[in-house]
Amino acid sequence: MKQTRVPDHPDAKSPAGAEIRFIMDGPTGNMIHSTVPPGQINRATRHETVYEFWHVLEGNGQIWRSNGVNESVVDLESGVSIDIQAGTAFQYRNTGGAPLMFICISMPPWPGDTEATFVEGPWQPTI
């Protein structure tokens, strides 16, 4: 049995550009805490094999998702949960004055940064 706490400082940056803190991992998935500073627009990416669930803890932002058939922009705010299916292009940004923070669960476990391919998104990245 494991128990962890969210680290005080980021462990890494995601390929898209968010600060990430590793929380938990196991054979079927892993979980991170992600922070996007105010005004930051992350790079648009597509994951080849990983499926993600996000749950927003604090802040305000938006996420664009496109699976080639459907496309949408969803407001991200405390209490909102979204999914990102493998093969879906997505881009997200902080639209508020405070950090945008969310929990991200990846299944299967994140295989490494080569999982993410950069794609064209609707917003110009700031990083």
Side-chain angles (χ1 to χ4, degrees), residues 48-110:
E48 300 303 317
T49 63
V50 171
Y51 195 112
E52 292 185 345
F53 293 138
W54 292 11
H55 180 75
V56 180
L57 301 170
E58 296 179 31
N60 292 284
Q62 291 182 314
I63 185 167
W64 163 81
R65 293 175 290 174
S66 176
N67 64 9
V69 176
N70 298 308
E71 183 174 323
S72 69
V73 174
V74 172
D75 290 331
L76 299 173
E77 60 190 22
S78 180
V80 170
S81 297
I82 58 107
D83 73 340
I84 302 172
Q85 298 177 14
T88 299
F90 67 100
Q91 184 178 24
Y92 55 105
R93 63 184 180 174
N94 183 330
T95 59
L100 172 64
M101 293 187 265
F102 57 92
I103 298 294
C104 172
I105 298 170
S106 297
M107 298 163 295
W110 183 253

